[in-house]
Amino acid sequence: MPASPSTARAINDRLALRLLQQQGPLTAGQLKQLTGLSRPSVADLVERLAAAGLIDVVGESGEQRRGPNARVYGIVADQAHLAALDVRTEGVSVVVSDLLGRMLAEASVPIGGDTGTGPAVERAVTLVERAAKEAGVPELHTVGIGAPGLIDPATGELRDSGGLPEWHRRLVLALQERLPQTRIHVENETNLAALAEQRDGAAQDRGTFVLLWLGHGTGAAVVLDGTLRRGASGGTGEIGFLPVPGTVGLPSAVDCEGGFHSLAGSAAIVRLAEQYGPAVEAYGHEPPAARVVRQAVARGSADFLDALADRLAIGVASVVAVLDPGCLVLGGEVGRAGGADLAARVESRVRRMSPLATEVRASALGGEAVLRGALLTARDRAQDDLFAPR
């Protein structure tokens, strides 16, 4: 059944807005060429979008021709403002942007393990409010939050997970209370990192890949045929619980100690490094595991990097045997620190362990991927709402 005129107009409007968002300001002629629509149809959609306040004239083309130059149209960036949060066990980072993703403010605050739930929540919420005020934003349209732990696929809420501080779950409720007009969206941090790597990072050319997150803990995100897979309980990629050789005991339902986490978590990597040399020097605010890996690469510490690659290959080979993704990205601060050197070592070991060809790549975004993924998700949600047919 053919689409109704109103449905067709809505589809065309969304297509034009997506093109303007992805490619920047365009003339009506360029929109006609990119959309394949007729000149009258493009003229109509431009008029509709301008009347709705979604686009405006931002200049004129420099093309030499008879008569006036063509008008150049762009999305009205301050039609909506967004925020993204990266919630870690030790603190929170936030960025505020306009609808085009231009950064307007950024801030972070540490939250120690001895901080009570109430004070921790208040510190995080105040951070968001302060960043919005600094950006000159009167109201946030959408907030994207990346957090460790499981997200309930039915409700979209952060589930109570063992080992994570209570303030993580309370933060979402507190933000909704303090920002009642704002849309709040929560997603697992590793899933957001994978979306960022797919959109802007190491997996831009891949519709199917797995991201192995190597940070304070371990996690994985699975993208199959361009779609993020979350699983029946939201737990796809909980690789820290994967039983593997080389650990003492087995993981339990409430503790991943004894699983892959015991080989590749931050503390395990630091302990491994200590077996191959003296403690490394401090390096800014970089996490300890990322610091030891970065310095090992710089020093050419082959023995340590080989031992680390042996450990990582155990988890990677398990993922490859089940999913055959063809590409795996070593993400998080550790994956970025190891770079192409560590990725190549892991790939060579997986090649010996599995008949399934798998390219192993280093993250292009590192620890920044969660915040970027949260912002991309917030922007997509806001555009879905603003660009929806009225």
Side-chain angles (χ1 to χ4, degrees), residues 211-236:
L211 172 76
L212 175 60
W213 180 264
L214 301 169
H216 176 73
T218 58
V222 178
V223 177
L224 300 178
D225 299 324
T227 301
L228 179 69
R229 305 294 180 177
R230 294 178 175 84
S233 61
T236 294

mmCIF file with all atom_site columns, all heavy atoms in Angstrom, residues 211-236:
data_model
loop_
_atom_site.group_PDB
_atom_site.id
_atom_site.type_symbol
_atom_site.label_atom_id
_atom_site.label_alt_id
_atom_site.label_comp_id
_atom_site.label_asym_id
_atom_site.label_entity_id
_atom_site.label_seq_id
_atom_site.pdbx_PDB_ins_code
_atom_site.Cartn_x
_atom_site.Cartn_y
_atom_site.Cartn_z
_atom_site.occupancy
_atom_site.B_iso_or_equiv
_atom_site.pdbx_formal_charge
_atom_site.auth_seq_id
_atom_site.auth_comp_id
_atom_site.auth_asym_id
_atom_site.auth_atom_id
_atom_site.pdbx_PDB_model_num
ATOM 1   N N   . LEU A 1 211 ? 33.041 -5.039  20.460 1.00 0.00 ? 211 LEU A N   1
ATOM 2   C CA  . LEU A 1 211 ? 33.938 -4.167  21.210 1.00 0.00 ? 211 LEU A CA  1
ATOM 3   C C   . LEU A 1 211 ? 34.257 -4.839  22.535 1.00 0.00 ? 211 LEU A C   1
ATOM 4   O O   . LEU A 1 211 ? 33.342 -5.187  23.288 1.00 0.00 ? 211 LEU A O   1
ATOM 5   C CB  . LEU A 1 211 ? 33.283 -2.807  21.470 1.00 0.00 ? 211 LEU A CB  1
ATOM 6   C CG  . LEU A 1 211 ? 34.066 -1.895  22.417 1.00 0.00 ? 211 LEU A CG  1
ATOM 7   C CD1 . LEU A 1 211 ? 35.271 -1.297  21.700 1.00 0.00 ? 211 LEU A CD1 1
ATOM 8   C CD2 . LEU A 1 211 ? 33.195 -0.797  22.992 1.00 0.00 ? 211 LEU A CD2 1
ATOM 9   N N   . LEU A 1 212 ? 35.534 -5.053  22.805 1.00 0.00 ? 212 LEU A N   1
ATOM 10  C CA  . LEU A 1 212 ? 35.973 -5.562  24.103 1.00 0.00 ? 212 LEU A CA  1
ATOM 11  C C   . LEU A 1 212 ? 36.441 -4.378  24.930 1.00 0.00 ? 212 LEU A C   1
ATOM 12  O O   . LEU A 1 212 ? 37.443 -3.745  24.602 1.00 0.00 ? 212 LEU A O   1
ATOM 13  C CB  . LEU A 1 212 ? 37.102 -6.581  23.938 1.00 0.00 ? 212 LEU A CB  1
ATOM 14  C CG  . LEU A 1 212 ? 37.728 -7.109  25.239 1.00 0.00 ? 212 LEU A CG  1
ATOM 15  C CD1 . LEU A 1 212 ? 36.687 -7.811  26.098 1.00 0.00 ? 212 LEU A CD1 1
ATOM 16  C CD2 . LEU A 1 212 ? 38.895 -8.055  24.932 1.00 0.00 ? 212 LEU A CD2 1
ATOM 17  N N   . TRP A 1 213 ? 35.683 -4.039  25.969 1.00 0.00 ? 213 TRP A N   1
ATOM 18  C CA  . TRP A 1 213 ? 35.995 -2.884  26.803 1.00 0.00 ? 213 TRP A CA  1
ATOM 19  C C   . TRP A 1 213 ? 36.999 -3.284  27.887 1.00 0.00 ? 213 TRP A C   1
ATOM 20  O O   . TRP A 1 213 ? 36.784 -4.228  28.637 1.00 0.00 ? 213 TRP A O   1
ATOM 21  C CB  . TRP A 1 213 ? 34.718 -2.362  27.457 1.00 0.00 ? 213 TRP A CB  1
ATOM 22  C CG  . TRP A 1 213 ? 34.949 -1.165  28.335 1.00 0.00 ? 213 TRP A CG  1
ATOM 23  C CD1 . TRP A 1 213 ? 35.129 -1.146  29.683 1.00 0.00 ? 213 TRP A CD1 1
ATOM 24  C CD2 . TRP A 1 213 ? 35.044 0.194   27.899 1.00 0.00 ? 213 TRP A CD2 1
ATOM 25  N NE1 . TRP A 1 213 ? 35.315 0.130   30.120 1.00 0.00 ? 213 TRP A NE1 1
ATOM 26  C CE2 . TRP A 1 213 ? 35.271 0.976   29.055 1.00 0.00 ? 213 TRP A CE2 1
ATOM 27  C CE3 . TRP A 1 213 ? 34.956 0.817   26.658 1.00 0.00 ? 213 TRP A CE3 1
ATOM 28  C CZ2 . TRP A 1 213 ? 35.409 2.366   28.986 1.00 0.00 ? 213 TRP A CZ2 1
ATOM 29  C CZ3 . TRP A 1 213 ? 35.093 2.195   26.593 1.00 0.00 ? 213 TRP A CZ3 1
ATOM 30  C CH2 . TRP A 1 213 ? 35.317 2.943   27.753 1.00 0.00 ? 213 TRP A CH2 1
ATOM 31  N N   . LEU A 1 214 ? 38.102 -2.557  27.939 1.00 0.00 ? 214 LEU A N   1
ATOM 32  C CA  . LEU A 1 214 ? 39.155 -2.814  28.912 1.00 0.00 ? 214 LEU A CA  1
ATOM 33  C C   . LEU A 1 214 ? 39.399 -1.530  29.694 1.00 0.00 ? 214 LEU A C   1
ATOM 34  O O   . LEU A 1 214 ? 40.086 -0.615  29.227 1.00 0.00 ? 214 LEU A O   1
ATOM 35  C CB  . LEU A 1 214 ? 40.447 -3.257  28.204 1.00 0.00 ? 214 LEU A CB  1
ATOM 36  C CG  . LEU A 1 214 ? 40.337 -4.529  27.347 1.00 0.00 ? 214 LEU A CG  1
ATOM 37  C CD1 . LEU A 1 214 ? 41.586 -4.715  26.504 1.00 0.00 ? 214 LEU A CD1 1
ATOM 38  C CD2 . LEU A 1 214 ? 40.090 -5.742  28.238 1.00 0.00 ? 214 LEU A CD2 1
ATOM 39  N N   . GLY A 1 215 ? 38.784 -1.463  30.852 1.00 0.00 ? 215 GLY A N   1
ATOM 40  C CA  . GLY A 1 215 ? 38.933 -0.288  31.697 1.00 0.00 ? 215 GLY A CA  1
ATOM 41  C C   . GLY A 1 215 ? 39.120 -0.736  33.125 1.00 0.00 ? 215 GLY A C   1
ATOM 42  O O   . GLY A 1 215 ? 39.941 -1.610  33.411 1.00 0.00 ? 215 GLY A O   1
ATOM 43  N N   . HIS A 1 216 ? 38.359 -0.133  34.054 1.00 0.00 ? 216 HIS A N   1
ATOM 44  C CA  . HIS A 1 216 ? 38.411 -0.597  35.439 1.00 0.00 ? 216 HIS A CA  1
ATOM 45  C C   . HIS A 1 216 ? 37.999 -2.065  35.495 1.00 0.00 ? 216 HIS A C   1
ATOM 46  O O   . HIS A 1 216 ? 38.607 -2.876  36.194 1.00 0.00 ? 216 HIS A O   1
ATOM 47  C CB  . HIS A 1 216 ? 37.473 0.246   36.309 1.00 0.00 ? 216 HIS A CB  1
ATOM 48  C CG  . HIS A 1 216 ? 37.387 -0.220  37.729 1.00 0.00 ? 216 HIS A CG  1
ATOM 49  N ND1 . HIS A 1 216 ? 38.415 -0.037  38.633 1.00 0.00 ? 216 HIS A ND1 1
ATOM 50  C CD2 . HIS A 1 216 ? 36.414 -0.894  38.405 1.00 0.00 ? 216 HIS A CD2 1
ATOM 51  C CE1 . HIS A 1 216 ? 38.073 -0.562  39.789 1.00 0.00 ? 216 HIS A CE1 1
ATOM 52  N NE2 . HIS A 1 216 ? 36.861 -1.090  39.671 1.00 0.00 ? 216 HIS A NE2 1
ATOM 53  N N   . GLY A 1 217 ? 36.964 -2.410  34.751 1.00 0.00 ? 217 GLY A N   1
ATOM 54  C CA  . GLY A 1 217 ? 36.541 -3.796  34.608 1.00 0.00 ? 217 GLY A CA  1
ATOM 55  C C   . GLY A 1 217 ? 36.576 -4.188  33.146 1.00 0.00 ? 217 GLY A C   1
ATOM 56  O O   . GLY A 1 217 ? 37.218 -3.530  32.327 1.00 0.00 ? 217 GLY A O   1
ATOM 57  N N   . THR A 1 218 ? 35.905 -5.263  32.828 1.00 0.00 ? 218 THR A N   1
ATOM 58  C CA  . THR A 1 218 ? 35.853 -5.717  31.441 1.00 0.00 ? 218 THR A CA  1
ATOM 59  C C   . THR A 1 218 ? 34.398 -5.841  31.010 1.00 0.00 ? 218 THR A C   1
ATOM 60  O O   . THR A 1 218 ? 33.501 -6.092  31.820 1.00 0.00 ? 218 THR A O   1
ATOM 61  C CB  . THR A 1 218 ? 36.532 -7.093  31.275 1.00 0.00 ? 218 THR A CB  1
ATOM 62  O OG1 . THR A 1 218 ? 35.874 -8.035  32.140 1.00 0.00 ? 218 THR A OG1 1
ATOM 63  C CG2 . THR A 1 218 ? 38.004 -7.024  31.609 1.00 0.00 ? 218 THR A CG2 1
ATOM 64  N N   . GLY A 1 219 ? 34.161 -5.670  29.743 1.00 0.00 ? 219 GLY A N   1
ATOM 65  C CA  . GLY A 1 219 ? 32.822 -5.822  29.184 1.00 0.00 ? 219 GLY A CA  1
ATOM 66  C C   . GLY A 1 219 ? 32.939 -5.978  27.686 1.00 0.00 ? 219 GLY A C   1
ATOM 67  O O   . GLY A 1 219 ? 34.015 -5.815  27.109 1.00 0.00 ? 219 GLY A O   1
ATOM 68  N N   . ALA A 1 220 ? 31.849 -6.286  27.051 1.00 0.00 ? 220 ALA A N   1
ATOM 69  C CA  . ALA A 1 220 ? 31.832 -6.407  25.597 1.00 0.00 ? 220 ALA A CA  1
ATOM 70  C C   . ALA A 1 220 ? 30.501 -5.901  25.082 1.00 0.00 ? 220 ALA A C   1
ATOM 71  O O   . ALA A 1 220 ? 29.483 -5.951  25.775 1.00 0.00 ? 220 ALA A O   1
ATOM 72  C CB  . ALA A 1 220 ? 32.056 -7.863  25.156 1.00 0.00 ? 220 ALA A CB  1
ATOM 73  N N   . ALA A 1 221 ? 30.526 -5.383  23.883 1.00 0.00 ? 221 ALA A N   1
ATOM 74  C CA  . ALA A 1 221 ? 29.300 -4.965  23.203 1.00 0.00 ? 221 ALA A CA  1
ATOM 75  C C   . ALA A 1 221 ? 29.272 -5.649  21.852 1.00 0.00 ? 221 ALA A C   1
ATOM 76  O O   . ALA A 1 221 ? 30.308 -5.767  21.176 1.00 0.00 ? 221 ALA A O   1
ATOM 77  C CB  . ALA A 1 221 ? 29.251 -3.454  23.030 1.00 0.00 ? 221 ALA A CB  1
ATOM 78  N N   . VAL A 1 222 ? 28.098 -6.093  21.445 1.00 0.00 ? 222 VAL A N   1
ATOM 79  C CA  . VAL A 1 222 ? 27.935 -6.871  20.221 1.00 0.00 ? 222 VAL A CA  1
ATOM 80  C C   . VAL A 1 222 ? 27.060 -6.094  19.241 1.00 0.00 ? 222 VAL A C   1
ATOM 81  O O   . VAL A 1 222 ? 25.917 -5.749  19.560 1.00 0.00 ? 222 VAL A O   1
ATOM 82  C CB  . VAL A 1 222 ? 27.300 -8.239  20.516 1.00 0.00 ? 222 VAL A CB  1
ATOM 83  C CG1 . VAL A 1 222 ? 27.084 -9.026  19.226 1.00 0.00 ? 222 VAL A CG1 1
ATOM 84  C CG2 . VAL A 1 222 ? 28.176 -9.033  21.490 1.00 0.00 ? 222 VAL A CG2 1
ATOM 85  N N   . VAL A 1 223 ? 27.584 -5.829  18.057 1.00 0.00 ? 223 VAL A N   1
ATOM 86  C CA  . VAL A 1 223 ? 26.830 -5.195  16.985 1.00 0.00 ? 223 VAL A CA  1
ATOM 87  C C   . VAL A 1 223 ? 26.761 -6.188  15.828 1.00 0.00 ? 223 VAL A C   1
ATOM 88  O O   . VAL A 1 223 ? 27.798 -6.579  15.284 1.00 0.00 ? 223 VAL A O   1
ATOM 89  C CB  . VAL A 1 223 ? 27.488 -3.882  16.522 1.00 0.00 ? 223 VAL A CB  1
ATOM 90  C CG1 . VAL A 1 223 ? 26.717 -3.272  15.349 1.00 0.00 ? 223 VAL A CG1 1
ATOM 91  C CG2 . VAL A 1 223 ? 27.558 -2.882  17.674 1.00 0.00 ? 223 VAL A CG2 1
ATOM 92  N N   . LEU A 1 224 ? 25.554 -6.612  15.476 1.00 0.00 ? 224 LEU A N   1
ATOM 93  C CA  . LEU A 1 224 ? 25.354 -7.574  14.401 1.00 0.00 ? 224 LEU A CA  1
ATOM 94  C C   . LEU A 1 224 ? 24.493 -6.946  13.317 1.00 0.00 ? 224 LEU A C   1
ATOM 95  O O   . LEU A 1 224 ? 23.397 -6.455  13.603 1.00 0.00 ? 224 LEU A O   1
ATOM 96  C CB  . LEU A 1 224 ? 24.678 -8.847  14.926 1.00 0.00 ? 224 LEU A CB  1
ATOM 97  C CG  . LEU A 1 224 ? 25.428 -9.623  16.018 1.00 0.00 ? 224 LEU A CG  1
ATOM 98  C CD1 . LEU A 1 224 ? 24.598 -10.824 16.471 1.00 0.00 ? 224 LEU A CD1 1
ATOM 99  C CD2 . LEU A 1 224 ? 26.793 -10.077 15.517 1.00 0.00 ? 224 LEU A CD2 1
ATOM 100 N N   . ASP A 1 225 ? 24.990 -6.940  12.098 1.00 0.00 ? 225 ASP A N   1
ATOM 101 C CA  . ASP A 1 225 ? 24.255 -6.377  10.959 1.00 0.00 ? 225 ASP A CA  1
ATOM 102 C C   . ASP A 1 225 ? 23.781 -4.953  11.255 1.00 0.00 ? 225 ASP A C   1
ATOM 103 O O   . ASP A 1 225 ? 22.655 -4.566  10.944 1.00 0.00 ? 225 ASP A O   1
ATOM 104 C CB  . ASP A 1 225 ? 23.058 -7.266  10.595 1.00 0.00 ? 225 ASP A CB  1
ATOM 105 C CG  . ASP A 1 225 ? 23.494 -8.660  10.184 1.00 0.00 ? 225 ASP A CG  1
ATOM 106 O OD1 . ASP A 1 225 ? 24.554 -8.779  9.543  1.00 0.00 ? 225 ASP A OD1 1
ATOM 107 O OD2 . ASP A 1 225 ? 22.781 -9.623  10.509 1.00 0.00 ? 225 ASP A OD2 1
ATOM 108 N N   . GLY A 1 226 ? 24.661 -4.182  11.904 1.00 0.00 ? 226 GLY A N   1
ATOM 109 C CA  . GLY A 1 226 ? 24.373 -2.780  12.170 1.00 0.00 ? 226 GLY A CA  1
ATOM 110 C C   . GLY A 1 226 ? 23.518 -2.511  13.382 1.00 0.00 ? 226 GLY A C   1
ATOM 111 O O   . GLY A 1 226 ? 23.219 -1.352  13.690 1.00 0.00 ? 226 GLY A O   1
ATOM 112 N N   . THR A 1 227 ? 23.103 -3.568  14.103 1.00 0.00 ? 227 THR A N   1
ATOM 113 C CA  . THR A 1 227 ? 22.203 -3.400  15.238 1.00 0.00 ? 227 THR A CA  1
ATOM 114 C C   . THR A 1 227 ? 22.874 -3.839  16.529 1.00 0.00 ? 227 THR A C   1
ATOM 115 O O   . THR A 1 227 ? 23.449 -4.929  16.593 1.00 0.00 ? 227 THR A O   1
ATOM 116 C CB  . THR A 1 227 ? 20.910 -4.217  15.044 1.00 0.00 ? 227 THR A CB  1
ATOM 117 O OG1 . THR A 1 227 ? 20.264 -3.790  13.841 1.00 0.00 ? 227 THR A OG1 1
ATOM 118 C CG2 . THR A 1 227 ? 19.954 -4.012  16.215 1.00 0.00 ? 227 THR A CG2 1
ATOM 119 N N   . LEU A 1 228 ? 22.794 -3.004  17.542 1.00 0.00 ? 228 LEU A N   1
ATOM 120 C CA  . LEU A 1 228 ? 23.314 -3.351  18.859 1.00 0.00 ? 228 LEU A CA  1
ATOM 121 C C   . LEU A 1 228 ? 22.434 -4.420  19.487 1.00 0.00 ? 228 LEU A C   1
ATOM 122 O O   . LEU A 1 228 ? 21.211 -4.284  19.532 1.00 0.00 ? 228 LEU A O   1
ATOM 123 C CB  . LEU A 1 228 ? 23.338 -2.104  19.745 1.00 0.00 ? 228 LEU A CB  1
ATOM 124 C CG  . LEU A 1 228 ? 23.844 -2.285  21.173 1.00 0.00 ? 228 LEU A CG  1
ATOM 125 C CD1 . LEU A 1 228 ? 25.338 -2.572  21.175 1.00 0.00 ? 228 LEU A CD1 1
ATOM 126 C CD2 . LEU A 1 228 ? 23.541 -1.047  22.004 1.00 0.00 ? 228 LEU A CD2 1
ATOM 127 N N   . ARG A 1 229 ? 23.039 -5.480  19.978 1.00 0.00 ? 229 ARG A N   1
ATOM 128 C CA  . ARG A 1 229 ? 22.291 -6.578  20.592 1.00 0.00 ? 229 ARG A CA  1
ATOM 129 C C   . ARG A 1 229 ? 22.447 -6.515  22.106 1.00 0.00 ? 229 ARG A C   1
ATOM 130 O O   . ARG A 1 229 ? 23.562 -6.503  22.623 1.00 0.00 ? 229 ARG A O   1
ATOM 131 C CB  . ARG A 1 229 ? 22.805 -7.931  20.078 1.00 0.00 ? 229 ARG A CB  1
ATOM 132 C CG  . ARG A 1 229 ? 22.794 -8.053  18.564 1.00 0.00 ? 229 ARG A CG  1
ATOM 133 C CD  . ARG A 1 229 ? 21.380 -8.027  18.002 1.00 0.00 ? 229 ARG A CD  1
ATOM 134 N NE  . ARG A 1 229 ? 21.385 -8.146  16.548 1.00 0.00 ? 229 ARG A NE  1
ATOM 135 C CZ  . ARG A 1 229 ? 20.302 -8.212  15.793 1.00 0.00 ? 229 ARG A CZ  1
ATOM 136 N NH1 . ARG A 1 229 ? 19.116 -8.177  16.365 1.00 0.00 ? 229 ARG A NH1 1
ATOM 137 N NH2 . ARG A 1 229 ? 20.388 -8.307  14.482 1.00 0.00 ? 229 ARG A NH2 1
ATOM 138 N N   . ARG A 1 230 ? 21.324 -6.482  22.820 1.00 0.00 ? 230 ARG A N   1
ATOM 139 C CA  . ARG A 1 230 ? 21.354 -6.334  24.274 1.00 0.00 ? 230 ARG A CA  1
ATOM 140 C C   . ARG A 1 230 ? 21.072 -7.642  25.014 1.00 0.00 ? 230 ARG A C   1
ATOM 141 O O   . ARG A 1 230 ? 21.458 -7.778  26.174 1.00 0.00 ? 230 ARG A O   1
ATOM 142 C CB  . ARG A 1 230 ? 20.346 -5.277  24.708 1.00 0.00 ? 230 ARG A CB  1
ATOM 143 C CG  . ARG A 1 230 ? 20.708 -3.873  24.223 1.00 0.00 ? 230 ARG A CG  1
ATOM 144 C CD  . ARG A 1 230 ? 19.649 -2.867  24.627 1.00 0.00 ? 230 ARG A CD  1
ATOM 145 N NE  . ARG A 1 230 ? 20.039 -1.503  24.266 1.00 0.00 ? 230 ARG A NE  1
ATOM 146 C CZ  . ARG A 1 230 ? 19.865 -0.965  23.074 1.00 0.00 ? 230 ARG A CZ  1
ATOM 147 N NH1 . ARG A 1 230 ? 19.290 -1.679  22.110 1.00 0.00 ? 230 ARG A NH1 1
ATOM 148 N NH2 . ARG A 1 230 ? 20.237 0.281   22.824 1.00 0.00 ? 230 ARG A NH2 1
ATOM 149 N N   . GLY A 1 231 ? 20.399 -8.578  24.390 1.00 0.00 ? 231 GLY A N   1
ATOM 150 C CA  . GLY A 1 231 ? 20.089 -9.829  25.052 1.00 0.00 ? 231 GLY A CA  1
ATOM 151 C C   . GLY A 1 231 ? 18.772 -9.794  25.797 1.00 0.00 ? 231 GLY A C   1
ATOM 152 O O   . GLY A 1 231 ? 18.184 -8.734  26.015 1.00 0.00 ? 231 GLY A O   1
ATOM 153 N N   . ALA A 1 232 ? 18.297 -10.969 26.226 1.00 0.00 ? 232 ALA A N   1
ATOM 154 C CA  . ALA A 1 232 ? 16.993 -11.087 26.871 1.00 0.00 ? 232 ALA A CA  1
ATOM 155 C C   . ALA A 1 232 ? 16.916 -10.329 28.178 1.00 0.00 ? 232 ALA A C   1
ATOM 156 O O   . ALA A 1 232 ? 15.866 -9.804  28.550 1.00 0.00 ? 232 ALA A O   1
ATOM 157 C CB  . ALA A 1 232 ? 16.675 -12.568 27.113 1.00 0.00 ? 232 ALA A CB  1
ATOM 158 N N   . SER A 1 233 ? 18.012 -10.260 28.916 1.00 0.00 ? 233 SER A N   1
ATOM 159 C CA  . SER A 1 233 ? 18.019 -9.561  30.203 1.00 0.00 ? 233 SER A CA  1
ATOM 160 C C   . SER A 1 233 ? 18.900 -8.329  30.186 1.00 0.00 ? 233 SER A C   1
ATOM 161 O O   . SER A 1 233 ? 19.190 -7.759  31.236 1.00 0.00 ? 233 SER A O   1
ATOM 162 C CB  . SER A 1 233 ? 18.486 -10.516 31.311 1.00 0.00 ? 233 SER A CB  1
ATOM 163 O OG  . SER A 1 233 ? 19.814 -10.969 31.046 1.00 0.00 ? 233 SER A OG  1
ATOM 164 N N   . GLY A 1 234 ? 19.325 -7.926  29.000 1.00 0.00 ? 234 GLY A N   1
ATOM 165 C CA  . GLY A 1 234 ? 20.206 -6.767  28.903 1.00 0.00 ? 234 GLY A CA  1
ATOM 166 C C   . GLY A 1 234 ? 21.655 -7.082  29.194 1.00 0.00 ? 234 GLY A C   1
ATOM 167 O O   . GLY A 1 234 ? 22.463 -6.168  29.353 1.00 0.00 ? 234 GLY A O   1
ATOM 168 N N   . GLY A 1 235 ? 22.003 -8.366  29.247 1.00 0.00 ? 235 GLY A N   1
ATOM 169 C CA  . GLY A 1 235 ? 23.342 -8.744  29.684 1.00 0.00 ? 235 GLY A CA  1
ATOM 170 C C   . GLY A 1 235 ? 24.284 -9.227  28.606 1.00 0.00 ? 235 GLY A C   1
ATOM 171 O O   . GLY A 1 235 ? 25.339 -9.791  28.923 1.00 0.00 ? 235 GLY A O   1
ATOM 172 N N   . THR A 1 236 ? 23.948 -9.025  27.336 1.00 0.00 ? 236 THR A N   1
ATOM 173 C CA  . THR A 1 236 ? 24.880 -9.417  26.283 1.00 0.00 ? 236 THR A CA  1
ATOM 174 C C   . THR A 1 236 ? 26.215 -8.699  26.503 1.00 0.00 ? 236 THR A C   1
ATOM 175 O O   . THR A 1 236 ? 26.254 -7.483  26.661 1.00 0.00 ? 236 THR A O   1
ATOM 176 C CB  . THR A 1 236 ? 24.328 -9.038  24.901 1.00 0.00 ? 236 THR A CB  1
ATOM 177 O OG1 . THR A 1 236 ? 23.161 -9.803  24.646 1.00 0.00 ? 236 THR A OG1 1
ATOM 178 C CG2 . THR A 1 236 ? 25.351 -9.308  23.799 1.00 0.00 ? 236 THR A CG2 1
#
